[in-house]
Amino acid sequence: MARTTVCRIALLLLVAAMVSCTLLAGGSPSMAFPHSEVIHHRQSYRRELLANGLGLTPQMGWNSWNHYSCFIDEQIIRKTADAMVSTGLAKLGYEYVNIDDCWAEIARDDKGNLVPKNATFPSGIKALADYVHSKGLKLGIYSDAGYFTCSKTMPGSLGHEEQDAKTFAAWGIDYLKYDNCNNDGSRPTVRYPVMTRALMKAGRPIFLSLCEWGDLHPALWGDKVGNSWRTTNDIADNWDSMISRADQNEVYAEYARPGGWNDPDMLEVGNGGMTKDEYIVHFSLWAISKAPLLLGCDLTSITKDIMDVVANKEVIAVNQDSLGVQAKKVRMEGDQEIWAGPLSGYRVAVVLLNRGPIRYSVTANWDDIGIPQGSVVEARDLWEHRTLKTHFVSNISATLDSHSCKLYVLKPIS
């Protein structure tokens, strides 16, 4: 097997060396720093701009876009909140109910305020937030660092950041997904911190999810601006799209940590475009990558098969582990891959993945996944919910069907 090359790491270091530290002043990347100075700056000034105490583990919840697109209304949001509770998902940590694009009128009111669309949100967003809060959940909303949102059916927040942040806070909003369409051509590093500062002044903790699509490597600067940052373009409900988003996101693993997470986009589990095995891979890779777990299917008609995937407590626990270290792709040979990352309690989470069209045997070696050579290891299979009777020395193997995986938590016992 060939080890992951250092080329992409060198590329990231080069990009990082070009990123300016003028974000605190609302500036854009312009100065070139030696890599050590960039890292020192990130460690010294991280959180000076964004200090809301949120996102200590990756966010969990639901977002309207992947299933409903623009066809949303307040009844869908209410019924989704109801379903989040009745299915037991809320007790598992899914807490945000997020309204995506298309919720507002195309024109602001005479005072410049955003106006909920009367045809679809006649009760207003404040009443909806009150309802969601009454369920013990949190309400998220969507805006854009441009003049219009991506759908072009409602205004963006560019030039109205403080006004909109105050509006969101007054409504009781808990989460803002902030997109990047239809802007003035300035860099995201100029536009995004304006909303960050506005939210910090608004008087209510609001999780800020930067939806910048990975355009200007937001992993390199997003930790001072948001609680998560998109590292990829939009996901689609098919294998190639999903697996490519996981690959793109993995490049930035070292930048994820409590309070700020890499985001390869929302979950497609349950929307029908992949097999159950493929959805298990999807959920496993997002979990081990400490990615946001934001469901995007119709929760009011969720099936047992899909609940088996998204309600797996043991896999969720990997995602929400307090150590907060994103897994990396530590070895690969063709369609066989090993993804691994440390967990609290001296444990290691490891995914054995078969990306190919035929069955393969895949082996994870201790020296690749950070377990000392000679260690005897106990393995917990998180999808079969059983601790394997065999103890393992030096490696662990599994034979996998096409587009399937194993997710183990390994614990050295001697």
Side-chain angles (χ1 to χ4, degrees), residues 17-290:
M18 297 172 64
V19 174
S20 166
C21 299
T22 57
L23 286 171
L24 297 177
S28 61
S30 59
M31 296 173 64
F33 291 102
H35 179 63
S36 61
E37 293 182 25
V38 172
I39 295 300
H40 173 74
H41 183 89
R42 292 180 70 251
Q43 292 171 342
S44 299
Y45 294 96
R46 187 173 194 276
R47 291 284 168 259
E48 280 197 7
L49 186 56
L50 181 71
N52 58 18
L54 301 176
L56 297 182
T57 59
Q59 66 268 38
M60 296 177 62
W62 176 89
N63 179 283
S64 62
W65 185 259
N66 283 353
H67 186 78
Y68 294 101
S69 186
C70 263
F71 302 101
I72 54 166
D73 57 46
E74 62 184 41
Q75 291 307 313
I76 289 172
I77 304 303
R78 287 172 183 259
K79 289 177 180 178
T80 297
D82 294 343
M84 196 101 80
V85 174
S86 64
T87 58
L89 290 170
K91 289 184 177 179
L92 296 177
Y94 294 95
E95 62 176 344
Y96 290 106
V97 180
N98 293 344
I99 308 167
D100 210 283
D101 203 351
C102 311
W103 60 267
E105 299 285 3
I106 188 65
R108 293 173 179 267
D109 68 15
D110 56 4
K111 295 181 179 179
N113 296 309
L114 291 167
V115 180
K117 190 175 293 185
N118 186 59
T120 49
F121 292 88
S123 302
I125 303 300
K126 174 70 166 64
L128 191 55
D130 291 344
Y131 184 84
V132 171
H133 293 158
S134 76
K135 297 290 180 177
L137 301 169
K138 298 177 179 179
L139 186 68
I141 209 161
Y142 167 97
S143 190
D144 188 286
Y147 297 118
F148 294 94
T149 63
C150 295
S151 69
K152 296 185 179 180
T153 65
M154 58 173 279
S157 291
L158 185 62
H160 293 266
E161 291 88 353
E162 286 203 15
Q163 185 173 18
D164 291 352
K166 289 177 182 176
T167 297
F168 298 150
W171 285 345
I173 293 299
D174 304 291
Y175 185 111
L176 175 62
K177 176 182 174 182
Y178 202 44
D179 221 329
N180 195 32
C181 289
N182 303 305
N183 58 68
D184 60 0
S186 63
R187 291 179 177 236
T189 46
V190 173
R191 288 176 285 110
Y192 276 83
V194 181
M195 179 55 82
T196 305
R197 285 188 288 270
L199 291 175
M200 294 302 295
K201 292 168 61 177
R204 180 181 179 83
I206 296 177
F207 189 108
L208 180 55
S209 169
L210 310 179
C211 187
E212 187 261 13
W213 325 314
D215 180 29
L216 199 64
H217 302 285
L220 305 182
W221 50 267
D223 59 357
K224 294 184 291 293
V225 182
N227 298 109
S228 67
W229 42 85
R230 276 278 294 280
T231 54
T232 71
N233 243 313
D234 290 357
I235 195 171
D237 187 19
N238 62 72
W239 171 264
D240 288 340
S241 175
M242 180 274 293
I243 206 73
S244 68
R245 299 317 183 259
D247 290 341
Q248 293 162 28
N249 187 67
E250 186 268 344
V251 172
Y252 301 102
E254 67 183 280
Y255 295 96
R257 63 197 69 186
W261 307 103
N262 292 315
D263 176 9
D265 206 4
M266 299 165 290
L267 292 164
E268 290 282 8
V269 182
N271 281 327
M274 289 182 259
T275 66
K276 184 174 181 180
D277 277 350
E278 290 172 338
Y279 281 141
I280 285 173
V281 171
H282 184 7
F283 201 73
S284 297
L285 291 180
W286 263 238
I288 201 170
S289 298
K290 303 297 186 287

Side-chain angles (χ1 to χ4, degrees), residues 284-355:
S284 297
L285 291 180
W286 263 238
I288 201 170
S289 298
K290 303 297 186 287
L293 298 182
L294 294 175
L295 303 171
C297 60
D298 179 0
L299 297 187
T300 67
S301 60
I302 194 167
T303 65
K304 181 183 182 302
D305 271 357
I306 298 306
M307 278 296 292
D308 287 344
V309 177
V310 302
N312 187 322
K313 295 180 182 180
E314 296 187 77
V315 179
I316 291 170
V318 169
N319 178 260
Q320 297 289 296
D321 184 74
S322 60
L323 196 61
V325 177
Q326 180 175 329
K328 297 182 181 181
K329 193 187 302 188
V330 296
R331 281 181 80 92
M332 55 185 168
E333 181 180 358
D335 294 321
Q336 304 170 60
E337 293 184 353
I338 309 298
W339 297 58
L343 300 174
S344 58
Y346 304 102
R347 300 168 300 146
V348 175
V350 57
V351 167
L352 281 61
L353 173 62
N354 175 14
R355 299 170 65 133

